Amino acid sequence: MSGDGRTGRGRPGRRRPGREKTESGRPVQSAADSTGGPGGTGKPFEIVRELEVEGSPAQLWAALTTGTGGWLWPMEYEPREGGAGPGGSTVTCWDPPHRLAARVEDPDGLPGRRLNQLDHVIEPRDGGRRSWLRHVHSGIFTGDWDTQYDGAVKHTDFHLHTLGQYMAYFEGRPVVYSALHGPAASSAPDAFVRLGRALGLPDDASDGARVRVQAAGGELDAVIDFRSRYFIGLRADETLHRFYGRNHFGAPVGVSIHDFGAHADPKGTELAWQDWLDHLYG
């Protein structure tokens, strides 16, 4: 199932996990059969998504490797198989602009995981003006499997949607990334509902609605590009604002801003939004 790469409103599709081949015949590896290394413990997981986005395979490859600050968070890859990848991972496939894969065992900063790996396969569509992406996130959870899997699935869909927005509206532009989270009180069950109302979003405002948001630092004219009980995405002329209802997963709410403006001020942005969150949940 393909999303609408221009509007970014389509949701990434679901596929049954397993070993498959792309139309070009390249095999797609899976970690679902892995035991997570010596003394393997925990239960495997696999999240598979397919979507189409605006831009050529080369442009999508750049978004996945050097442009991640525009839609996820800044990450770096050493451009070779066996090179260093994000989060202490190792690049297991570097085949631009066709396939990118990386793997890490016992990843730092990801408690409850014994193995984590990402596998991306890219193919051209519409004469190379668009690209098809197969995204496979797999590994081994050692904690509460159901809760971890539910959170990973929901975050995957939101992140890939944001990738579609980036490719359609901001691809290749310099970006400044800011991220922060609310105080402990923002872990409350109603915390994300309170955030949406504090922004001034009507309860019934959904994807595609144009809104004037009561944002940190002043009003913001934006389009709601994503809205669910877990996430809110706002697209303005020079920014993508992402709001994370991580209170549903036992953590504080989060905010990230991808600022493509010529005068982006990450420190000022972070201070303003932290003050906004602290006052909201203070």
Side-chain angles (χ1 to χ4, degrees), residues 17-174:
R19 296 186 183 274
E20 302 178 31
K21 290 187 178 181
T22 67
E23 292 178 3
S24 64
R26 295 186 183 89
V28 177
Q29 301 297 322
S30 166
D33 300 327
S34 173
T35 61
T41 60
K43 179 180 176 182
F45 74 92
E46 185 175 68
I47 302 167
V48 183
R49 296 291 185 266
E50 295 180 5
L51 66 155
E52 286 187 19
V53 298
E54 294 288 337
S56 67
Q59 289 172 314
L60 179 55
W61 177 269
L64 295 173
T65 56
T66 60
T68 56
W71 60 277
L72 190 58
W73 52 77
M75 298 190 296
E76 294 184 3
Y77 288 90
E78 187 178 356
R80 63 179 181 85
E81 188 169 321
S89 65
T90 299
V91 177
T92 56
C93 183
W94 183 270
D95 181 19
H98 309 295
R99 184 174 171 217
L100 169 70
R103 169 189 174 105
V104 58
E105 293 188 15
D106 298 318
D108 292 336
L110 292 175
R113 297 191 195 184
R114 183 167 179 79
L115 171 69
N116 195 71
Q117 73 177 26
L118 293 172
D119 197 328
H120 297 102
V121 175
I122 302 171
E123 292 182 354
R125 293 291 187 268
D126 193 21
R129 290 179 290 273
R130 293 170 61 83
S131 296
W132 171 86
L133 172 67
R134 188 175 194 267
H135 166 99
V136 181
H137 180 197
S138 57
I140 295 189
F141 288 139
T142 59
D144 181 344
W145 194 93
D146 289 337
T147 298
Q148 289 182 286
Y149 182 75
D150 184 50
V153 165
K154 288 180 170 60
H155 278 78
T156 293
D157 289 341
F158 187 44
H159 291 321
L160 291 178
H161 168 84
T162 302
L163 171 62
Q165 292 287 294
Y166 168 75
M167 293 297 295
Y169 296 98
F170 301 105
E171 186 275 326
R173 290 176 56 175

Side-chain angles (χ1 to χ4, degrees), residues 168-188:
Y169 296 98
F170 301 105
E171 186 275 326
R173 290 176 56 175
V175 63
V176 170
Y177 172 79
S178 302
L180 54 150
H181 58 79
S186 68
S187 300

